[in-house]
Amino acid sequence: MKNPFSLDGKTALVAGASRGIGLACARSFAQAGARTILASRDMKALEGEAAKLRDEGFQAEAAKLDVANSASIQECAAALPDVDILLNCAGINLRKKFETYTREEYDRVLQTNLHGIFELTQLVGKKMIERGKGGKVIFIGSMMSVLGLPYLSVYGITKSALWGLTRILAAEWGRHNIQVNCIAPGFILTDLNRDMWQQPVLKNWLNGAQANPKMGSGEDIGPSAVFLASPGADYITGQILAVDGGYSTTANWPFEPNA
């Protein structure tokens, strides 16, 4: 019986694959059998990670991609082989009070987290449609796709937009057998937020904020991406999958019953 979660024979492009969640997803795709193209601005890091995967017996290669630059997006897309799976993970964050964002900061976050991803998905999706063999598109959203926390307004705009785009593209591309879904990671420890999470007040807060009191890692997201990219998820589209230790649905409190 064929493994419904195998990616054998598939080609996957991971945008934002040099570290963190993107790298973890790229590794998971390769380990599941996909020819995996790791894409980002940092070619040195990508080449090193792709080489590690090849040394482990998997198929992996690097591709130059700067989602903040339209010319880079077009050049990368034009050079791609046929892509079965597109995972959009490229993104940045800037935590500030809403009234203090500059227009330059706003534009930079929007271009990286939304506009560049929009353009890449257009180009890759068009080829999927023309090829006529279906495909998978996965956006990496956030808890800010569906919830609100302070000082994340511009980031939240982009991640909310990706969740909206997920639903619309799922409806529009379903006729082409292209499934479009979104993963909403919770509090995932990465190089981008490691210093912030060293604060004891945040660690203590997390203990009461969700069912699983520990921080997540990129390795908690990779298997979910493999699932959504696999034939086992062919009848799942237009959905958002929270991988968040229960943050969006649960909370802990200090009460204990006597019996």
Side-chain angles (χ1 to χ4, degrees):
M1 186 174 178
K2 188 175 180 180
N3 179 0
F5 307 115
S6 170
L7 301 183
D8 283 347
K10 303 296 184 182
T11 297
L13 171 67
V14 180
S18 61
R19 59 181 177 176
I21 291 172
L23 175 57
C25 290
R27 289 190 59 82
S28 292
F29 283 163
Q31 290 163 354
R35 173 189 176 187
T36 303
I37 303 169
L38 293 80
S40 84
R41 293 176 299 179
D42 190 345
M43 284 298 289
K44 182 177 180 181
L46 292 180
E47 292 286 8
E49 295 296 342
K52 289 178 188 177
L53 285 165
R54 291 194 297 269
D55 288 345
E56 295 170 27
F58 305 116
Q59 303 176 74
E61 57 202 83
K64 180 79 171 181
L65 172 65
D66 181 358
V67 294
N69 184 293
S70 182
S72 174
I73 294 167
Q74 293 178 43
E75 184 177 348
C76 177
L80 290 171
D82 287 340
V83 171
D84 303 286
I85 301 157
L86 169 63
L87 185 136
N88 286 304
C89 189
I92 58 174
N93 194 1
L94 185 62
R95 301 173 186 87
K96 296 182 68 173
K97 294 179 180 179
F98 175 75
E99 63 272 22
T100 66
Y101 282 98
T102 66
R103 181 56 189 258
E104 186 277 331
E105 290 167 340
Y106 174 87
D107 288 342
R108 179 158 51 91
V109 175
L110 264 289
Q111 176 60 41
T112 303
N113 290 16
L114 182 58
H115 300 328
I117 285 173
F118 181 98
E119 184 174 4
L120 179 66
T121 304
Q122 271 191 322
L123 295 171
V124 175
K126 182 180 180 181
K127 287 185 176 181
M128 283 184 180
I129 292 168
E130 291 172 348
R131 190 176 59 148
K133 295 183 179 181
K136 309 279 188 177
V137 176
I138 304 167
F139 294 107
I140 299 297
S142 162
M143 284 293 95
M144 298 310 100
S145 298
V146 294
L147 300 172
L149 284 174
Y151 315 127
L152 293 166
S153 55
V154 181
Y155 177 82
I157 288 169
T158 65
K159 295 301 184 177
S160 297
L162 291 180
W163 171 214
L165 182 59
T166 296
R167 302 192 301 272
I168 301 302
L169 283 185
E172 190 169 331
W173 287 357
R175 71 197 68 185
H176 303 294
N177 191 29
I178 297 172
Q179 291 81 52
V180 185
N181 291 290
C182 183
I183 295 175
F187 299 109
I188 306 297
L189 191 64
T190 70
D191 292 341
L192 298 179
N193 63 23
R194 197 175 306 277
D195 289 343
M196 183 183 80
W197 281 101
Q198 298 308 308
Q199 301 176 47
V201 65
L202 282 174
K203 292 180 179 179
N204 293 335
W205 169 79
L206 192 63
N207 285 332
Q210 60 192 39
N212 187 334
K214 76 176 184 68
M215 291 285 294
S217 69
E219 285 67 31
D220 293 311
I221 308 299
S224 299
V226 169
F227 166 63
L228 290 175
S230 74
D234 280 353
Y235 205 53
I236 299 173
T237 196
Q239 302 299 314
I240 189 166
L241 175 61
V243 185
D244 66 350
Y247 178 77
S248 59
T249 54
T250 68
N252 285 323
W253 61 353
F255 171 79
E256 291 288 344
N258 293 325

